[in-house]
Amino acid sequence: MSADTEPTTAQQFKDKGNEHFSAKKWQDAVDAYTKAIELNHPDKHVCYGNRSAANLKLENTIAAVADANCAIDAKPTWWKAYSRLGTALQHRGEWDDAEAAYTNGLEKATDGHSKLRNNLKECQSRRSSGSSSSSSSGNQKSTIVKIQSYLKYFIIINALLYMIPFINIGGDCFRSCMLGCIVKYILTLSFHG
């Protein structure tokens, strides 16, 4: 298939998904794998597994877990499906489920046992060190701090506008908006701690 030709078959969409994945075009890869699945590709398990990996790159961890489970349902003996599931679950901080995914893979997969054992060991060491969990919680705290600062400035601006007596721009609207911002600010403070 040339670069100018649009894919029409399930295999062409799968191949296009692989190209996009290699080019780090994660959303395009997800879309191409989705079309391959919709067109009933004979190796649906591979399409689901690859889409799981692309979704994980997009940090769509729920979709990555769902796709990995679909890959397992499509072919319970394929080791990569268990590997994809365990990796996605680790990113979600679901350590017990991640370990269970690798262990199930060791029991049910017909090959890839050494990779699954290595994945299980890495998962256990990350869990004990908390490395993956701390980076995601660090990102979450950073986002919460940004939200808090935006809300704080919005509260100050609303308060100033409300207190200026000669500007009467829907007084009740500003009061409601300011109260809403204060409540949201307090909520983010409680999540931050």
Side-chain angles (χ1 to χ4, degrees):
M1 181 172 71
S2 72
D4 298 333
T5 309
E6 284 296 314
T8 56
T9 67
Q11 184 61 44
Q12 289 172 340
F13 276 107
K14 179 182 174 276
D15 293 342
K16 196 61 148 172
N18 292 344
E19 287 176 31
H20 289 313
F21 193 92
S22 295
K24 298 182 181 182
K25 296 179 180 177
W26 313 124
Q27 187 58 55
D28 291 338
V30 166
D31 296 340
Y33 293 132
T34 300
K35 282 301 280 181
I37 292 165
E38 289 171 356
L39 293 172
N40 223 7
H41 192 282
D43 292 327
K44 267 190 178 180
H45 64 286
V46 175
C47 295
Y48 279 120
N50 291 351
R51 190 170 75 175
S52 174
N55 271 314
L56 192 57
K57 294 290 188 180
L58 291 168
E59 296 189 27
N60 296 333
T61 57
I62 293 172
V65 168
D67 283 338
N69 278 317
C70 288
I72 291 169
D73 289 342
K75 188 169 183 180
T77 57
W78 189 48
W79 72 272
K80 273 192 180 180
Y82 298 97
S83 178
R84 302 270 199 244
L85 179 59
T87 302
L89 289 167
Q90 283 184 74
H91 281 273
R92 295 184 52 76
E94 298 176 20
W95 301 105
D96 291 336
D97 292 337
E99 287 182 23
Y102 296 130
T103 304
N104 286 339
L106 287 167
E107 293 170 6
K108 297 175 183 172
T110 54
D111 59 349
H113 291 167
S114 64
K115 284 286 231 178
L116 288 170
R117 270 192 291 280
N118 289 339
N119 289 343
L120 180 59
K121 287 177 187 174
E122 287 176 21
C123 176
Q124 290 167 338
S125 69
R126 282 188 190 130
R127 179 183 197 164
S128 62
S129 71
S131 65
S132 179
S133 159
S134 65
S135 69
S136 70
S137 68
N139 290 341
Q140 184 180 12
K141 285 183 181 181
S142 171
T143 302
I144 289 172
V145 168
K146 286 179 186 175
I147 291 169
Q148 286 173 342
S149 66
Y150 290 133
L151 288 173
K152 182 171 57 175
Y153 293 124
F154 197 66
I155 290 167
I156 292 169
I157 290 168
N158 275 323
L160 290 173
L161 286 174
Y162 182 72
M163 290 180 190
I164 299 174
F166 58 88
I167 299 179
N168 188 6
I169 308 172
D172 287 335
C173 177
F174 278 106
R175 186 177 307 142
S176 299
C177 189
M178 185 169 63
L179 288 174
C181 287
I182 291 170
V183 168
K184 291 174 188 171
Y185 182 70
I186 292 169
L187 286 174
T188 58
L189 285 175
S190 67
F191 286 124
H192 188 261

